[in-house]
Amino acid sequence: MRDDLVRQEIKRAAVWIGMAGLAALAVYLAHPLLVIFGGFVFAMLIDGGQRLLGRVLPIRRTWRIAVVLLLTVAFLAWVVEFAGSQIMSQAAEMPPLVTAQAQRALDWASAHGLTMGRSDVSSLLQQLLGGVGQVTQALGGLFGGVTTLLIIVILGIYFVLEPDLYQRGLAWLLPAESREYFHGTTHRMGRTLRMLLAGRMLGMVVEGVCTWIALAVYGVPMAALLGLLTGLLVFLPNIGAPISGLLMILVGFSGGTAMGIYCIIVYVVVQTVDGNVIVPMVAKRTADLAPALVLGAQLIFGVLFGILGLALADPLVVMLKIALERQAEHNTRRDEATE
């Protein structure tokens, strides 16, 4: 142990063992780490709301955060009080209705020579209704991960109340010469993530409300639930829209061909407005993400962590992209300085 070479080799071995241990620990603690990241994302939502409120209400930041939280609680209370019972009853009626409509579509396809196996359709329906069941149970207050959601909310409130405290704490873990770079990276991440989430929220409100109104005007069954599901699924780009559209069309055809065609028109119009107005407007001011990259991340995180991973895949990809861009910029400046 007194030999310098032996001590040097021990240090190298300790580094490799420590890296392997950290990797194993990250895999073991993947779900808690994702919950912490969910708290950070929720904090960005609150922070974006209070910044927007600060443009019209010149009060202290703490009070603006309190106003945003109170408005959120008031909205949730309104949903539970005025729409909760209706949505819960509709959520209970939707799975059998969707299954029956899908079976009718299978029978029609078989009559026209399409030979898709019933077992394949049943498996697909079980997966679809399983995902929808998680969302509708959450709306009805029966979601099994309510404790996880509560932890995310609490973490988000702590993060948004004292963001500098936690940022400094992470910076202290880094070498002194890297802290300025770290602060610049986190600042850009926060700004981009706020804009991304603002666009998601705008899309959720526009699509959910417009779908609800359009379906209710025509008398489509479960208009409230379909509107709410459409709005919530907007948070999942690439995946949410097809799922909500399929549910809308299946429910529409349960009331006849004319109602089904009307639901198709509503879906196309709403998605066209979102794709040609809202998405481009948001994309100009947020990270330019390749759709295939986002979809791949959603598939991987969805398989690994369920609906929580699916919902947080998009923000996580944005942050990783910004971190890589900042590292590339740093490397470029360093290379230019050495030349």
Side-chain angles (χ1 to χ4, degrees), residues 44-58:
M44 290 296 99
L45 278 173
I46 301 174
D47 189 55
Q50 69 86 16
R51 287 171 182 264
L52 185 63
L53 188 62
R55 298 181 180 180
V56 296
L57 195 61

Side-chain angles (χ1 to χ4, degrees), residues 24-39:
L25 188 63
V27 172
Y28 181 73
L29 298 177
H31 186 75
L33 291 174
L34 195 63
V35 171
I36 295 173
F37 180 70

Side-chain angles (χ1 to χ4, degrees), residues 18 53 64 90 104 112 139 151 155 185 202 218 255:
L53 188 62
R64 294 199 302 267
Q90 292 179 0
R104 288 179 57 187
H112 288 76
L139 299 176
I151 293 174
L155 284 173
T185 302
L202 178 62
Y218 196 83

Side-chain angles (χ1 to χ4, degrees), residues 113-324:
L114 300 177
T115 58
M116 185 176 181
R118 292 178 180 267
S119 60
D120 296 335
V121 176
S122 299
S123 176
L124 178 62
L125 286 175
Q126 288 177 0
Q127 294 179 9
L128 175 63
L129 294 176
V132 175
Q134 292 183 11
V135 178
T136 53
Q137 287 176 2
L139 299 176
L142 302 176
F143 183 52
V146 65
T147 303
T148 300
L149 295 177
L150 182 61
I151 293 174
I152 289 176
V153 171
I154 294 174
L155 284 173
I157 294 174
Y158 283 143
F159 289 154
V160 77
L161 286 177
E162 295 181 305
D164 294 337
L165 173 65
Y166 301 101
Q167 187 175 357
R168 287 197 306 268
L170 289 175
W172 288 341
L173 299 176
L174 302 174
E177 62 272 12
S178 301
R179 293 173 186 174
E180 183 178 355
Y181 168 79
F182 171 77
H183 288 303
T185 302
T186 54
H187 176 73
R188 184 182 297 185
M189 284 182 176
R191 183 179 68 251
T192 305
L193 192 56
R194 283 194 301 270
M195 295 304 303
L196 176 69
L197 295 175
R200 291 283 185 271
M201 295 298 294
L202 178 62
M204 291 171 67
V205 172
V206 172
E207 289 198 28
V209 172
C210 291
T211 301
W212 185 358
I213 294 175
L215 297 181
V217 168
Y218 196 83
V220 177
M222 308 178 190
L225 178 61
L226 288 171
L228 200 53
L229 284 175
T230 300
L232 290 175
L233 290 173
V234 171
F235 197 81
L236 308 176
N238 304 322
I239 294 178
I243 295 176
S244 63
L246 178 60
L247 293 174
M248 188 190 311
I249 293 170
L250 289 175
V251 173
F253 275 103
S254 68
T257 304
M259 184 177 291
I261 295 175
Y262 177 79
C263 289
I264 295 176
I265 296 174
V266 170
Y267 172 74
V268 171
V269 171
V270 171
Q271 292 303 317
T272 300
V273 172
D274 180 69
N276 294 314
V277 178
I278 298 176
V279 172
M281 179 179 64
V282 174
K284 291 180 180 179
R285 307 185 64 180
T286 57
D288 185 17
L289 295 178
L293 176 63
V294 176
L295 181 58
Q298 288 175 334
L299 293 175
I300 293 173
F301 280 88
V303 170
L304 292 176
F305 308 110
I307 192 171
L308 181 61
L310 191 64
L312 297 178
D314 196 21
L316 186 58
V317 170
V318 169
M319 295 186 66
L320 290 176
K321 181 176 182 290
I322 294 174
L324 293 175

